[in-house]
Each structure stands twice: as structure tokens, then as C-alpha cells.
Amino acid sequence: MGRSPDSRPDRSDESGRDRPRATGAVRLSDVAAAAGVASMTVSRALNQPELVSERTRERVQRAVIETGYVPNRVAGALASSRSRMVAVLVPTVAHSLFADVVQSITDALSVNGYQVLLGLTGYQTQDEATVVETVLSRRPDAVVVAGTRHSQATRARLKAARVPVVEIWDMSDDPLDMLIGFSHHAVGRAVADYLLGCGYRRFGQAMADDPRSHERAEGFNDRIMEAQQARPHDGIDVITRWAEIPATLVGGRTAAAAVLLDMPDCEAIVCSSDTLAMGVIAEAQSRAMVVPQTLAVMGFGDMSFAAATWPALSTVRIDGAEIGRLTATHLLNRFDGGEPDSDSDIIDIGFEIVPRQTTLSGAS
Amino acid sequence: MGRSPDSRPDRSDESGRDRPRATGAVRLSDVAAAAGVASMTVSRALNQPELVSERTRERVQRAVIETGYVPNRVAGALASSRSRMVAVLVPTVAHSLFADVVQSITDALSVNGYQVLLGLTGYQTQDEATVVETVLSRRPDAVVVAGTRHSQATRARLKAARVPVVEIWDMSDDPLDMLIGFSHHAVGRAVADYLLGCGYRRFGQAMADDPRSHERAEGFNDRIMEAQQARPHDGIDVITRWAEIPATLVGGRTAAAAVLLDMPDCEAIVCSSDTLAMGVIAEAQSRAMVVPQTLAVMGFGDMSFAAATWPALSTVRIDGAEIGRLTATHLLNRFDGGEPDSDSDIIDIGFEIVPRQTTLSGAS
DNA sequence: CAAAATGATGTTAGCGCTATCATTGCGCGA
DNA sequence: TCGCGCAATGATAGCGCTAACATCATTTTG
């Protein structure tokens, strides 16, 4: 045959490489030449060392150092259809709750040689669809995505990708695959329960206008309505005002002002984040309202500053790092051949009400 | 020839694909078959649409939708040696300063089709070397790395990678390539200057034990020593105590306690982060010391809570988002063929002292 | 002691895309 | 009318690696 099927000779004997250097980088075959073995043997020595004799392994290791070889995992991923990348899609990392999750996923996965491809979806559903398509084009071995409310297109794409998917930071009856989060609705109910228990009756909500805050607000309102029906003459009531995202102190002040305008006798304001809560406190102080005696404030997130402010902020704690750890564990299990199992693949990690000084915990 | 050199037929006419589906995913050639054109034409229609006639472009677009094609950029990256990924290496994202930078780099790059590969280096130099090697194996088109103090191995690897490198969050006389940051030493001096101007004489430092905090402490001490020499009888003095990383409130309290043990008449404590500063304030309040009358406190970072605490925290503001934006702009310029230019490729974005209520700004 | 099993290494054939060059068709000026 | 330039498209040959199978030398086994 004039043209041998081996159109790309890969002489691995000492006579050396002969394909002209295409990219300037050291390739597997260069290491192979230096070690006097075949490329495949180098590949094995690096990726499945147990299959290679000790003598060869050492020679290869020496050759790797000598040549300064850095594997090209792009090529490796293409050849093996395993990219060893996990896409993590969150609305933002400039928000310590999601940042904690990203941090702990990254930490846990990196130990096992996986890397994180970061996708920031913003708070708009249509952005999510674009980001999902973009990250899927990298053929990640798994996708972690915040939230359970996705567009039909997003769901279809994620399913078509045929990779493990973990939805986090939320609960749902109908997860795509794995689900590790908590119920925002339950948070709202629990907060209402707690504040009713403290004896408050007239509530404002200062909530960021994102889907998960909506759900917490809904849970809160549900519980309040139950209380209204149980005790119709107690004057229990709630109004909700929405703040722009991202949540800022100023947004909190504005929302608090709106609440106090429409409900001047409001006793407690519930916020969708600790940051908004700080703004609410600032607004209260600027009106010479005393927190919590005149106005109670409840945050969400238990960010690092919540315990340190004065008065210390009552809030709801979510263990984001735990979500990240569990996510990593479950993914590694799947990569390791573990089968989907709807029992253990849906985890509600719950939450914790943290009463501090911005709410009066007097018995009702 | 029995074996045509085209060992992988890619019939693009309507008769259809014939390589058996290897991975189950839709390939470029499937789209080509559906559109009745060659693979290459589809590739062009997607990546360089201006080279394709409008009629063809539309047919391809229809075929893409019809087949549900998601490009495989792993293959694309291998073929073109351009991955359209930028590696971003920071110590942590669970810290709003770095999170802001990551957020703004990601935002700015994603508009141009680039994605961020996240590498968390921790605060240890040896970890950095490993992370650098790992991310370089993905052949990113650029590397963004926090800090300028790298091991020799790291520097060598980054240089060998022959990609643009941006060092951020720091200043140096000897950058690897581009540099966008500020001088920690100058921050330390400026803080000392400011506090001396406020009339304080006896200083403690509660600093996290990381390289950049060390540099700020050094700058602070340098300025203090100058003041001592200028006014030897004023009793100007400073002691420094180190807190563990990550910086926490408790770390701040502990460091403050250590300072106050060794220098009971300390007038002002300078911290390497706002979080530590909150801890210092907490410790002061627990000792019934009044901030700022008995003890002044200075933070670093101007995190979201700094303005909202009581008393509001005096601190140093760094515009992390601006670092991210500039980084993205400079990288995109390079990708676009821009040449290195040592004048514009080294940017000191400076910082800002933000006096609030934890320091007495009385004239000295 | 032949046959089968095992361990170590090598060979081949792609993974799905794009750089590059080749080909085709068409308009246009001399 | 002929060729030239240009625009549009196609064919070919890899990018650097690994899955899968092939080979060969030992070792084990009945």
C-alpha cells in the first residue's frame, strides 16, 4: 500500500519522534521516545500505573520530568469521552451562600482529579438555558445546577447530555436526577411559626425578587393565613415588598420604607437575605425605631457578619458547605459506577432558625 | 486503493452518515447530512458565519435545531488549539473579595464566549504548583492567578505554557506577563498614615497569616518606624499578632486578646480583613471597651457588612470588580491579536481608605 | 509437557472537530 | 470570448490522546 493506514508514524524507539512538532508542546510520544517505550505505555504509566511494571513506571517518570511533559487532557477527554470536569451553575458567586457551595464542591472534587467549570446563570431563566448549552459543549462529566425550576429547553438539554445532574439549593418532587437542598417553602413556614411564637402579629416582608425568595415568601404567607383563620380577631397580617437583585443594603432600606409606609404598625420584617436585613435595621435606626423592641428583623443565610452586627441578627442558617460535600460525594459515587437510586439521591439537608438579638424571643 | 486514506468517510450528501455512532451524541456530520452540506460548511456556519451564504446559513441553523446539536468544544479545542477557556486561580471564593473578582471576570468573558475554569489554590504555595499543572493540562487560552509570589516551578510552568498570564490582586516589579492589582505595602503605609493623622500612637495588628497580609503589615510597620524616628518621644509603637486562616470572627477576638495582653494601652487595632475587625470589635465590647473612644478598629476589604455594622467599620476599599473587568478586557485584547505592552499591561488600581465610625477622625 | 492463563507492552484506529488547500461557479474587464 | 479574481463550498489530514485488540514472553495447570 502506497499509503499505509498508519498515516501518523509514532516511532517510539530511540531513533526518535518524526512528526514535526505541531504545537510546540511536549507530547506523549516525546516522553515515550525519551523513555524508550510506546506512547501507550506512557499513557498507562500515568493513568493506570498498576498495569505497568515498576521498572517501566520509573523510567517513564524520569522521562516526564526530563521533558517537562504536561498532559493534554483536551485530547485525553476527546479520546476517552471523559473530561474529568464538573460544571457548576449558580446564579452568582458574589454572594457568600453560593460561594460556600462552590468552594466546597471544588475542594472535594479536586482531591479526586476533577475540576470545576464555573457557569454563572444570573437570576434570569433564559440566561440559564444559554449557560447550560455552553457548558454542555465542554462535555462535562456531570452538571451541578442551583435550583429546580428550569425551562423546558434546559431540562431537555440536561437530559440529552446523559450525564449525572445534581440540582442543589432547593427541593422538588420531580428532580432531573439527584437533588440536594432544602425546602424554601418550609423555611418560610418555619420563620412564620417562630415569629408568631415570639408574639408578633403584624409582619412585613422585604424580599429580593428571585424565585427562591418568592417561595419562602409563599411559605411564610401560607402559615400566616392559617394563623389568621385560627385566630381571626388577633389582627394578624402581612404585606410583602420586593427589592431589586442583587440584594443590597440600600435595597433593604427601600423595601423597609415601603413596608412601613403601608403598615406603620408593623412589628417584624422578614428579609430574604442577611444583607437586606442589615438595610432594614439601618432604616429602622434612621427612624429612631429600636430593634427589636419597636421592630423585629429576621434575615436569611447566617452570613459571617450576622452574628457580629449590633444587635446580632436573627436569621436562618443553611449549611452550604454540606451541600457541596454531599454533592461531591454523590457524584464521585456515580463516576465510580454507582447506580441512580431515588431514595438516597434526594436529600433534604434542612435549615436552622438562629434566634439572636433582632427578635424578641419572649414566649407568646 | 483497498484502504482509502479517508479512513473515516464523511459522506455529506443526503444518503447520510455512515460512521456508526460512537458516543450517542449528535455530531457535526449529522447536522451536515441533515442540511445537505459538508461538515466543514456547518463548522463555518457556526463559527465564522460571514464566510457562508445566507441561504446555507439558514439551512444549517434549521438542521442544528432539528437534530438538537450541541457542539463538542473538546474536539474543537483539540483541532484548533484554542480552548476558549480561561483558568482563574484564587486562594478561595468563600471570601467576598476574590468572589467579586471571579464574578466579574466570568461575566465579562462569557459575553465573548469564553468560560472560566476555576482553580482554588488555598493559601499554600505548594498547592498552587499542583493546581497550576492541573489547569494547564486543560490547555486554557489564558491563566489568571492571584498574587505575584509563585514558586520557581509555577513560574516555569506558566511560562512554558505560552499563554497570556494575568497576575492580580498584588503588585510586583517582575510580573510574569500582565499585572492588575494594587500594592499591599502601600495599603499598610496609607493605613498607618491615616491612623497617625487621627492622633493614635499605640497600635496593634491582628493579621491573618497569609503573604499579602504580611506585606500590608510590613508597610504599616515601615511607616510607624519612620514616625518613631521623627518623633522619638511620642511613645509610638506597634505589635503584631497573627490569626489563623481562614479569617474568622473568633480569630479576630483571639488576636485582639493577644494584642491587649501584651499592649494594654493599645489605642487602635488594624486588621487584615473586615471579618477579623468584627471579631476585634466583639472582643472590645466584651471587655466594655468603647469603640472608637477606647479602642479604634480598622478593617480591610469594605465588605458588604462593613458599612452596616454598629459602629460602622472604617476600612480599606478595593475594587475587585474593576480588577476583574480590566483583566477580561486585557485578555480579550490579547486574544484579538494585541501585543504585549509593558506600559499598559501593568496596572495599579489603587485603593481607598474609608473612614467610618470605628476610628476617630479628629485632627491630630 | 502441551495448553491455557497471565502480565507487560505494542499496534491500530479513531474521538469530533478545524486548518488548509483544492475545487467549483460566477461576474467582470480587456 | 477568455481568463482572472473572488466567493462559496468541499476534501483531506491531522490535533494528542486512549479503547480495544494483538503480540509476546512467562507462568500456571491438568
Side-chain angles (χ1 to χ4, degrees):
Chain A
M1 283 198 262
R3 252 199 148 118
S4 117
D6 184 5
S7 54
R8 288 171 294 157
D10 183 349
R11 297 236 190 90
S12 37
D13 57 341
E14 290 77 0
S15 73
R17 51 221 88 153
D18 57 4
R19 180 144 52 103
R21 201 155 294 267
T23 62
V26 179
R27 293 164 306 186
L28 202 56
S29 60
D30 298 322
V31 178
V37 296
S39 305
M40 197 58 228
T41 302
V42 178
S43 173
R44 274 193 285 254
L46 296 175
N47 300 317
Q48 309 170 73
E50 70 279 5
L51 296 182
V52 170
S53 75
E54 193 173 335
R55 210 176 79 85
T56 308
R57 209 183 309 145
E58 277 163 13
R59 271 208 295 173
V60 168
Q61 260 149 19
R62 225 172 301 128
V64 165
I65 291 165
E66 184 187 309
T67 55
Y69 176 65
V70 177
N72 184 332
R73 285 190 215 280
V74 175
L78 180 61
S80 66
S81 311
R82 294 191 318 130
S83 62
R84 294 192 152 263
M85 287 201 302
V86 172
V88 176
L89 309 181
V90 292
T92 172
V93 289
H95 182 308
S96 71
L97 295 176
F98 290 118
D100 282 351
V101 177
V102 172
Q103 175 83 33
S104 83
I105 292 179
T106 308
D107 284 350
L109 287 176
S110 68
V111 174
N112 294 273
Y114 285 84
Q115 278 171 272
V116 165
L117 187 66
L118 186 63
L120 301 180
T121 54
Y123 281 100
Q124 320 244 321
T125 308
Q126 79 256 37
D127 292 348
E128 186 183 77
T130 315
V131 175
V132 165
E133 175 157 0
T134 311
V135 301
L136 285 179
S137 73
R138 306 279 178 194
R139 299 295 189 267
D141 289 345
V143 178
V144 177
V145 54
T148 53
R149 300 184 170 192
H150 314 292
S151 69
Q152 213 45 53
T154 300
R155 293 182 71 92
R157 286 240 182 278
L158 285 173
K159 277 188 175 151
R162 304 180 165 286
V163 293
V165 174
V166 187
E167 291 166 282
I168 60 169
W169 202 254
D170 223 328
M171 272 292 132
S172 153
D173 295 332
D174 175 32
L176 280 160
D177 181 1
M178 292 180 265
L179 177 58
I180 299 174
F182 59 95
S183 162
H184 291 263
H185 201 274
V187 168
R189 290 189 66 90
V191 168
D193 231 25
Y194 164 70
L195 291 175
L196 286 166
C198 294
Y200 298 106
R201 294 292 174 267
R202 303 192 55 75
F203 303 99
Q205 288 192 99
M207 307 296 279
D209 195 9
D210 72 82
R212 285 171 279 272
S213 299
H214 273 269
E215 220 167 308
R216 294 199 294 277
E218 210 175 285
F220 189 89
N221 290 336
D222 282 2
R223 180 66 189 83
I224 294 299
M225 275 206 283
E226 286 176 22
Q228 282 174 334
Q229 281 162 17
R231 298 177 286 164
H233 307 298
D234 270 12
I236 294 172
D237 200 11
V238 57
I239 65 171
T240 304
R241 295 294 173 266
W242 302 100
E244 304 228 318
I245 45 177
T248 59
L249 281 171
V250 173
R253 290 194 68 154
T254 311
V259 166
L260 292 170
L261 182 71
D262 294 342
M263 188 191 267
D265 61 342
C266 174
E267 298 165 354
I269 295 185
V270 176
C271 305
S272 65
S273 77
D274 288 351
T275 305
L276 285 179
M278 295 303 313
V280 171
I281 292 173
E283 181 64 21
Q285 287 176 341
S286 79
R287 293 166 179 240
M289 299 173 84
V290 181
V291 176
Q293 287 77 6
T294 322
L295 185 71
V297 181
M298 188 83 191
F300 177 82
D302 192 26
M303 297 189 196
S304 58
F305 58 85
T309 59
W310 194 87
L313 184 63
S314 299
T315 187
V316 180
R317 179 182 300 151
I318 308 296
D319 193 344
E322 177 69 4
I323 293 182
R325 274 190 299 272
L326 284 170
T327 300
T329 309
H330 279 244
L331 283 179
L332 291 169
N333 175 42
R334 279 287 178 85
F335 296 153
D336 224 44
E339 286 303 306
D341 165 10
S342 54
D343 277 348
S344 66
D345 282 353
I346 300 187
I347 300 179
D348 186 340
I349 68 147
F351 53 88
E352 184 188 347
I353 303 268
V354 184
R356 291 204 183 96
Q357 298 161 4
T358 58
T359 51
L360 282 172
S361 54
S364 72
Chain B
M1 282 203 246
R3 252 197 148 120
S4 117
D6 184 6
S7 54
R8 288 170 294 157
D10 183 349
R11 296 239 191 91
S12 37
D13 57 344
E14 290 77 359
S15 72
R17 51 223 88 152
D18 56 5
R19 181 145 53 104
R21 203 154 294 267
T23 61
V26 179
R27 294 163 306 185
L28 202 56
S29 60
D30 298 321
V31 179
V37 296
S39 305
M40 198 55 231
T41 302
V42 177
S43 173
R44 273 193 284 254
L46 296 175
N47 300 316
Q48 310 170 72
E50 70 281 3
L51 295 182
V52 170
S53 74
E54 193 173 336
R55 210 176 82 86
T56 309
R57 209 182 309 144
E58 276 164 15
R59 271 208 296 174
V60 168
Q61 258 149 20
R62 225 172 299 128
V64 165
I65 291 166
E66 184 186 311
T67 54
Y69 175 64
V70 177
N72 184 332
R73 288 190 212 280
V74 175
L78 180 61
S80 66
S81 311
R82 295 192 317 130
S83 63
R84 294 194 151 262
M85 287 201 302
V86 172
V88 175
L89 310 182
V90 292
T92 172
V93 289
H95 183 309
S96 72
L97 295 177
F98 290 119
D100 282 351
V101 177
V102 172
Q103 175 83 33
S104 82
I105 293 179
T106 308
D107 284 349
L109 287 177
S110 69
V111 174
N112 294 274
Y114 285 83
Q115 278 171 271
V116 165
L117 187 65
L118 187 63
L120 300 181
T121 53
Y123 281 100
Q124 320 243 324
T125 309
Q126 79 257 36
D127 292 350
E128 186 183 75
T130 315
V131 175
V132 165
E133 173 156 2
T134 312
V135 300
L136 285 179
S137 74
R138 304 282 178 192
R139 300 294 189 265
D141 289 344
V143 178
V144 178
V145 54
T148 52
R149 300 185 170 191
H150 315 293
S151 70
Q152 213 46 53
T154 301
R155 293 182 71 92
R157 286 240 182 278
L158 284 174
K159 277 187 175 151
R162 304 183 165 284
V163 293
V165 173
V166 187
E167 290 167 283
I168 60 170
W169 203 256
D170 223 328
M171 272 291 131
S172 153
D173 295 331
D174 175 32
L176 280 159
D177 181 0
M178 291 179 267
L179 177 58
I180 300 175
F182 59 94
S183 162
H184 291 263
H185 201 273
V187 168
R189 291 189 65 90
V191 168
D193 229 24
Y194 164 70
L195 292 174
L196 285 166
C198 295
Y200 297 107
R201 296 290 174 268
R202 303 194 54 77
F203 302 98
Q205 289 192 97
M207 308 296 278
D209 196 8
D210 71 81
R212 285 170 279 273
S213 299
H214 273 269
E215 220 167 307
R216 294 200 293 276
E218 211 176 284
F220 188 88
N221 290 336
D222 282 2
R223 180 68 189 81
I224 294 298
M225 275 207 283
E226 286 176 21
Q228 282 173 333
Q229 281 163 16
R231 298 178 286 164
H233 306 298
D234 269 13
I236 296 173
D237 200 11
V238 57
I239 65 172
T240 304
R241 294 296 172 265
W242 302 100
E244 304 227 317
I245 45 179
T248 60
L249 282 171
V250 173
R253 290 193 68 153
T254 310
V259 166
L260 291 170
L261 182 70
D262 294 343
M263 187 191 268
D265 60 343
C266 174
E267 299 164 352
I269 295 185
V270 176
C271 305
S272 65
S273 77
D274 288 349
T275 306
L276 285 179
M278 296 303 313
V280 171
I281 292 173
E283 181 65 21
Q285 287 175 341
S286 80
R287 294 167 179 238
M289 299 174 82
V290 181
V291 177
Q293 285 78 6
T294 321
L295 185 72
V297 180
M298 188 81 192
F300 177 82
D302 192 26
M303 297 190 197
S304 58
F305 58 84
T309 59
W310 193 89
L313 184 63
S314 299
T315 188
V316 179
R317 178 183 299 150
I318 308 296
D319 192 345
E322 177 69 4
I323 293 182
R325 273 191 299 272
L326 284 171
T327 301
T329 309
H330 278 244
L331 283 179
L332 291 169
N333 175 43
R334 278 287 177 87
F335 296 155
D336 226 43
E339 287 302 307
D341 165 10
S342 55
D343 277 348
S344 66
D345 283 352
I346 300 187
I347 300 180
D348 186 340
I349 67 147
F351 54 87
E352 184 187 348
I353 302 268
V354 184
R356 292 203 185 95
Q357 298 161 5
T358 58
T359 51
L360 282 171
S361 54
S364 74

